Amino acid sequence: MLKATAISRIFKRKHGTVKALDNATLEIKEGEFVSIIGPSGSGKSTLLLTLGGMSHPDQGTVHWNEQLIYDWDVAKRSQWRGTNVGFVFQSFNLVPYLTAYENVSVGLSLANNGAKVTQNIDSLLDELNLSSRKDHLPSELSIGQQQRVALARALVKKPRIILADEPTGNLDPETGKEVMDILKKQHSAGTTVVMITHDPNNAMLAQRTIKIVDGRIVQGQ
């Protein structure tokens, strides 16, 4: 489904360069639940962004069902993400001046699929216990509610793969469990899930764990 081969990503800094990814190779099969672990600064987030078509590798290739996604132009890659990939970020990345409902609809507007455009946003908000908060701005929501809105935004287009970067990192244990239950439910329904986590208990919920250290995959590729 999604395969990265010998990818490297180098960032220029004031005092030199940083190799965020170093010849990393891995394959994500359709329907898998994969966790990515490793120390802070090891390249986990860069790897996730590269897999999701948002960070062009300096070396190597990323395939989506045998197609090279970085051979596509920016518009085609954006369309592919909008239709197939749901991103969930630790920092939520909600639009501060849009309501919960409007933030979720932003995710739907990126999907160029007529069937998906008819998805009932209200139904999803109800499923995530957000119906009573749909007209509230992010600043009027709790941290847990903000993360559930971010999840709803990713799920509303029914993506084939969810890329989640520390989805429980800012949450209390109870709310974190709720988020993990949602991801497990999506996986059970056939969605591929790739999740960065520092929590060993969350990592154990995945079918497979990939460990990355200093930009190199050292386990589970």
Side-chain angles (χ1 to χ4, degrees), residues 78-109:
S78 178
Q79 181 181 3
W80 165 74
R81 281 197 307 271
T83 303
N84 294 286
V85 184
F87 278 98
V88 182
F89 300 99
Q90 180 179 0
S91 57
F92 314 143
N93 288 357
L94 299 177
V95 181
Y97 54 83
L98 297 182
T99 65
Y101 186 98
E102 291 166 339
N103 265 285
V104 176
S105 69
V106 167
L108 193 57
S109 69

Short mmCIF file of all heavy atoms in Angstrom, two decimals, residues 78-109:
data_model
loop_
_atom_site.label_atom_id
_atom_site.label_comp_id
_atom_site.label_asym_id
_atom_site.label_seq_id
_atom_site.Cartn_x
_atom_site.Cartn_y
_atom_site.Cartn_z
N SER A 78 -1.64 16.84 -3.48
CA SER A 78 -2.60 17.41 -2.55
C SER A 78 -3.96 16.72 -2.70
O SER A 78 -4.64 16.43 -1.71
CB SER A 78 -2.74 18.91 -2.80
OG SER A 78 -3.71 19.48 -1.95
N GLN A 79 -4.34 16.46 -3.94
CA GLN A 79 -5.61 15.77 -4.18
C GLN A 79 -5.57 14.35 -3.60
O GLN A 79 -6.55 13.88 -3.01
CB GLN A 79 -5.90 15.72 -5.68
CG GLN A 79 -7.21 15.02 -6.02
CD GLN A 79 -7.47 14.96 -7.51
OE1 GLN A 79 -6.64 15.40 -8.31
NE2 GLN A 79 -8.61 14.44 -7.91
N TRP A 80 -4.45 13.68 -3.77
CA TRP A 80 -4.29 12.33 -3.23
C TRP A 80 -4.44 12.34 -1.71
O TRP A 80 -5.14 11.52 -1.13
CB TRP A 80 -2.92 11.78 -3.63
CG TRP A 80 -2.50 10.56 -2.86
CD1 TRP A 80 -2.98 9.29 -3.00
CD2 TRP A 80 -1.53 10.53 -1.79
NE1 TRP A 80 -2.37 8.46 -2.09
CE2 TRP A 80 -1.48 9.18 -1.34
CE3 TRP A 80 -0.71 11.48 -1.20
CZ2 TRP A 80 -0.62 8.78 -0.31
CZ3 TRP A 80 0.14 11.08 -0.17
CH2 TRP A 80 0.17 9.75 0.26
N ARG A 81 -3.76 13.30 -1.05
CA ARG A 81 -3.88 13.41 0.40
C ARG A 81 -5.32 13.70 0.82
O ARG A 81 -5.83 13.10 1.76
CB ARG A 81 -2.98 14.53 0.93
CG ARG A 81 -1.53 14.19 1.06
CD ARG A 81 -0.82 15.18 1.98
NE ARG A 81 -1.04 16.56 1.58
CZ ARG A 81 -0.27 17.22 0.71
NH1 ARG A 81 0.76 16.63 0.15
NH2 ARG A 81 -0.53 18.47 0.41
N GLY A 82 -5.95 14.61 0.10
CA GLY A 82 -7.30 15.00 0.46
C GLY A 82 -8.30 13.86 0.38
O GLY A 82 -9.27 13.81 1.12
N THR A 83 -8.02 12.91 -0.50
CA THR A 83 -8.94 11.79 -0.69
C THR A 83 -8.59 10.58 0.15
O THR A 83 -9.48 9.89 0.67
CB THR A 83 -8.96 11.38 -2.19
OG1 THR A 83 -9.32 12.52 -2.98
CG2 THR A 83 -9.95 10.26 -2.44
N ASN A 84 -7.30 10.31 0.33
CA ASN A 84 -6.88 9.03 0.90
C ASN A 84 -6.27 9.09 2.30
O ASN A 84 -6.23 8.07 2.99
CB ASN A 84 -5.83 8.39 -0.02
CG ASN A 84 -6.40 8.00 -1.36
OD1 ASN A 84 -7.13 7.03 -1.49
ND2 ASN A 84 -6.06 8.79 -2.39
N VAL A 85 -5.79 10.26 2.72
CA VAL A 85 -4.99 10.34 3.95
C VAL A 85 -5.67 11.24 4.96
O VAL A 85 -6.05 12.37 4.66
CB VAL A 85 -3.58 10.88 3.65
CG1 VAL A 85 -2.74 10.85 4.93
CG2 VAL A 85 -2.90 10.07 2.55
N GLY A 86 -5.82 10.73 6.18
CA GLY A 86 -6.32 11.52 7.29
C GLY A 86 -5.19 11.78 8.28
O GLY A 86 -4.63 10.83 8.83
N PHE A 87 -4.83 13.04 8.48
CA PHE A 87 -3.76 13.40 9.42
C PHE A 87 -4.37 13.78 10.78
O PHE A 87 -5.36 14.51 10.84
CB PHE A 87 -2.95 14.59 8.92
CG PHE A 87 -1.89 14.23 7.92
CD1 PHE A 87 -2.12 14.38 6.56
CD2 PHE A 87 -0.65 13.76 8.33
CE1 PHE A 87 -1.14 14.06 5.63
CE2 PHE A 87 0.33 13.44 7.42
CZ PHE A 87 0.09 13.58 6.07
N VAL A 88 -3.75 13.30 11.86
CA VAL A 88 -4.12 13.71 13.21
C VAL A 88 -2.83 14.16 13.89
O VAL A 88 -1.88 13.39 14.02
CB VAL A 88 -4.75 12.55 14.01
CG1 VAL A 88 -5.16 13.04 15.40
CG2 VAL A 88 -5.96 11.97 13.28
N PHE A 89 -2.81 15.44 14.33
CA PHE A 89 -1.60 16.02 14.90
C PHE A 89 -1.76 16.21 16.41
O PHE A 89 -2.85 16.47 16.91
CB PHE A 89 -1.29 17.37 14.26
CG PHE A 89 -1.06 17.30 12.78
CD1 PHE A 89 -2.07 17.62 11.89
CD2 PHE A 89 0.16 16.91 12.27
CE1 PHE A 89 -1.87 17.58 10.52
CE2 PHE A 89 0.38 16.86 10.90
CZ PHE A 89 -0.64 17.19 10.02
N GLN A 90 -0.64 16.12 17.12
CA GLN A 90 -0.64 16.33 18.57
C GLN A 90 -1.12 17.74 18.91
O GLN A 90 -1.80 17.96 19.91
CB GLN A 90 0.76 16.09 19.13
CG GLN A 90 0.85 16.28 20.63
CD GLN A 90 2.26 16.01 21.16
OE1 GLN A 90 3.16 15.68 20.40
NE2 GLN A 90 2.44 16.14 22.44
N SER A 91 -0.78 18.70 18.07
CA SER A 91 -1.15 20.09 18.31
C SER A 91 -2.51 20.46 17.74
O SER A 91 -2.91 21.62 17.75
CB SER A 91 -0.08 21.02 17.72
OG SER A 91 0.09 20.77 16.33
N PHE A 92 -3.22 19.46 17.20
CA PHE A 92 -4.59 19.57 16.69
C PHE A 92 -4.69 20.32 15.36
O PHE A 92 -5.40 19.90 14.47
CB PHE A 92 -5.54 20.22 17.71
CG PHE A 92 -5.43 19.69 19.10
CD1 PHE A 92 -5.56 20.54 20.18
CD2 PHE A 92 -5.16 18.36 19.35
CE1 PHE A 92 -5.44 20.07 21.48
CE2 PHE A 92 -5.05 17.87 20.65
CZ PHE A 92 -5.19 18.73 21.71
N ASN A 93 -4.02 21.49 15.26
CA ASN A 93 -4.05 22.30 14.02
C ASN A 93 -5.46 22.68 13.60
O ASN A 93 -5.79 22.67 12.42
CB ASN A 93 -3.34 21.55 12.88
CG ASN A 93 -1.84 21.50 13.05
OD1 ASN A 93 -1.30 22.07 13.99
ND2 ASN A 93 -1.15 20.83 12.16
N LEU A 94 -6.29 23.01 14.56
CA LEU A 94 -7.63 23.49 14.24
C LEU A 94 -7.58 24.96 13.84
O LEU A 94 -6.72 25.71 14.31
CB LEU A 94 -8.56 23.32 15.45
CG LEU A 94 -8.76 21.89 15.96
CD1 LEU A 94 -9.65 21.90 17.20
CD2 LEU A 94 -9.34 21.00 14.88
N VAL A 95 -8.51 25.37 12.98
CA VAL A 95 -8.59 26.78 12.57
C VAL A 95 -9.29 27.54 13.69
O VAL A 95 -10.46 27.26 13.99
CB VAL A 95 -9.36 26.92 11.24
CG1 VAL A 95 -9.40 28.39 10.82
CG2 VAL A 95 -8.72 26.06 10.16
N PRO A 96 -8.62 28.50 14.33
CA PRO A 96 -9.16 29.10 15.56
C PRO A 96 -10.46 29.87 15.38
O PRO A 96 -11.23 30.00 16.33
CB PRO A 96 -8.03 30.01 16.04
CG PRO A 96 -7.20 30.28 14.82
CD PRO A 96 -7.29 29.02 13.99
N TYR A 97 -10.71 30.40 14.19
CA TYR A 97 -11.91 31.21 13.98
C TYR A 97 -13.06 30.42 13.37
O TYR A 97 -14.10 30.99 13.02
CB TYR A 97 -11.59 32.43 13.11
CG TYR A 97 -10.93 32.10 11.78
CD1 TYR A 97 -11.68 31.71 10.67
CD2 TYR A 97 -9.55 32.19 11.64
CE1 TYR A 97 -11.07 31.42 9.47
CE2 TYR A 97 -8.93 31.88 10.45
CZ TYR A 97 -9.70 31.49 9.36
OH TYR A 97 -9.09 31.18 8.17
N LEU A 98 -12.91 29.10 13.26
CA LEU A 98 -13.99 28.24 12.77
C LEU A 98 -14.55 27.40 13.90
O LEU A 98 -13.83 27.00 14.81
CB LEU A 98 -13.48 27.30 11.66
CG LEU A 98 -12.95 27.94 10.38
CD1 LEU A 98 -12.53 26.85 9.38
CD2 LEU A 98 -14.00 28.85 9.74
N THR A 99 -15.84 27.13 13.83
CA THR A 99 -16.48 26.29 14.84
C THR A 99 -16.02 24.83 14.66
O THR A 99 -15.37 24.48 13.67
CB THR A 99 -18.00 26.33 14.72
OG1 THR A 99 -18.38 25.75 13.45
CG2 THR A 99 -18.51 27.76 14.81
N ALA A 100 -16.38 23.99 15.63
CA ALA A 100 -16.05 22.58 15.55
C ALA A 100 -16.62 21.99 14.26
O ALA A 100 -15.93 21.27 13.52
CB ALA A 100 -16.59 21.84 16.76
N TYR A 101 -17.87 22.31 13.96
CA TYR A 101 -18.50 21.80 12.74
C TYR A 101 -17.74 22.27 11.51
O TYR A 101 -17.46 21.48 10.60
CB TYR A 101 -19.95 22.28 12.67
CG TYR A 101 -20.74 21.70 11.51
CD1 TYR A 101 -21.57 20.61 11.70
CD2 TYR A 101 -20.64 22.25 10.23
CE1 TYR A 101 -22.30 20.07 10.64
CE2 TYR A 101 -21.35 21.72 9.18
CZ TYR A 101 -22.19 20.64 9.38
OH TYR A 101 -22.89 20.11 8.32
N GLU A 102 -17.38 23.53 11.47
CA GLU A 102 -16.69 24.08 10.30
C GLU A 102 -15.29 23.50 10.16
O GLU A 102 -14.82 23.26 9.04
CB GLU A 102 -16.63 25.61 10.41
CG GLU A 102 -17.99 26.27 10.26
CD GLU A 102 -18.00 27.72 10.69
OE1 GLU A 102 -17.11 28.13 11.48
OE2 GLU A 102 -18.91 28.46 10.26
N ASN A 103 -14.61 23.24 11.28
CA ASN A 103 -13.29 22.61 11.21
C ASN A 103 -13.39 21.22 10.61
O ASN A 103 -12.53 20.82 9.82
CB ASN A 103 -12.66 22.55 12.60
CG ASN A 103 -11.74 23.72 12.89
OD1 ASN A 103 -10.62 23.79 12.37
ND2 ASN A 103 -12.21 24.65 13.71
N VAL A 104 -14.41 20.48 10.98
CA VAL A 104 -14.60 19.14 10.40
C VAL A 104 -14.92 19.24 8.91
O VAL A 104 -14.41 18.46 8.10
CB VAL A 104 -15.71 18.38 11.14
CG1 VAL A 104 -15.97 17.02 10.48
CG2 VAL A 104 -15.33 18.17 12.60
N SER A 105 -15.72 20.21 8.54
CA SER A 105 -16.10 20.36 7.13
C SER A 105 -14.90 20.72 6.26
O SER A 105 -14.88 20.42 5.07
CB SER A 105 -17.20 21.42 6.97
OG SER A 105 -16.71 22.72 7.24
N VAL A 106 -13.87 21.36 6.86
CA VAL A 106 -12.64 21.64 6.12
C VAL A 106 -12.02 20.35 5.62
O VAL A 106 -11.58 20.24 4.47
CB VAL A 106 -11.64 22.42 6.99
CG1 VAL A 106 -10.26 22.44 6.34
CG2 VAL A 106 -12.12 23.84 7.22
N GLY A 107 -11.98 19.32 6.49
CA GLY A 107 -11.45 18.03 6.08
C GLY A 107 -12.25 17.42 4.95
O GLY A 107 -11.69 16.81 4.03
N LEU A 108 -13.57 17.61 4.99
CA LEU A 108 -14.42 17.04 3.95
C LEU A 108 -14.23 17.76 2.62
O LEU A 108 -14.26 17.15 1.55
CB LEU A 108 -15.88 17.14 4.39
CG LEU A 108 -16.90 16.34 3.59
CD1 LEU A 108 -16.55 14.87 3.58
CD2 LEU A 108 -18.28 16.55 4.17
N SER A 109 -13.98 19.06 2.67
CA SER A 109 -13.84 19.85 1.45
C SER A 109 -12.60 19.45 0.66
O SER A 109 -12.50 19.71 -0.54
CB SER A 109 -13.79 21.34 1.77
OG SER A 109 -12.59 21.67 2.44
#
